[in-house]
Amino acid sequence: MDYETLQAVRFFIKDRYFHTLDNNLPDAGRLFRESTVITFDGGTFVGEDALPDYLASLAESNSGYSARTVAVDAHLLADGTILALARGRCMQNGEMGHFVQTFILVQDGDSYYVAHGIYQDIGDE
């Protein structure tokens, strides 16, 4: 993967994906497609609105969730999709912790969408 593509993937994950989930949930559906499958701490969410709806329900219950990425690495796969791994800090239920998230990204014009994702809270390691 060339440096420019890696930077574009990092920008998508840090500045579009996590920023949108933290600050603009109503617009988060554009990050996904109807075929998107996300596993979020053991729960499976399918479709463009499933994860944003779940995160909105967390906010309504005052347990909330926000994330800040620390590092993103990515590799181009043989079929042209991108495998990316993000790690960072998160705030959930008022407690700080750490997370890792694996993404399969598909290029969509000059950006990407999440085809698959696995999010895992790894506590306060």
Side-chain angles (χ1 to χ4, degrees):
M1 173 176 292
D2 63 50
Y3 180 76
E4 186 176 297
T5 303
L6 179 58
Q7 289 304 97
V9 168
R10 287 178 173 158
F11 176 82
F12 172 80
I13 291 173
K14 289 182 169 188
D15 296 324
R16 289 203 178 147
Y17 181 83
F18 285 110
H19 180 79
T20 300
L21 292 181
D22 286 348
N23 299 295
N24 192 8
L25 267 178
D27 197 34
R30 67 184 172 84
L31 302 169
F32 310 105
R33 298 296 181 270
E34 281 304 313
S35 60
T36 296
V37 178
I38 301 285
T39 301
F40 187 89
D41 267 348
T44 299
F45 302 90
V46 179
E48 59 192 46
D49 294 323
L51 182 62
D53 288 350
Y54 172 72
L55 294 175
S57 74
L58 288 179
E60 289 172 7
S61 69
N62 292 323
S63 57
Y65 172 83
S66 66
R68 184 174 77 78
T69 57
V70 174
V72 176
D73 289 310
H75 296 278
L76 185 62
L77 300 177
D79 66 357
T81 60
I82 295 173
L83 172 66
L85 177 69
R87 65 180 174 83
R89 296 185 191 102
C90 60
M91 178 71 73
Q92 190 169 5
N93 300 321
E95 295 183 25
M96 182 64 79
H98 293 85
F99 73 90
V100 293
Q101 186 162 358
T102 304
F103 297 88
I104 299 291
L105 303 177
V106 176
Q107 191 156 10
D108 184 23
D110 64 349
S111 189
Y112 301 90
Y113 70 86
V114 179
H116 299 280
I118 302 171
Y119 171 94
Q120 186 65 52
D121 179 9
I122 54 173
D124 59 3
E125 295 178 355

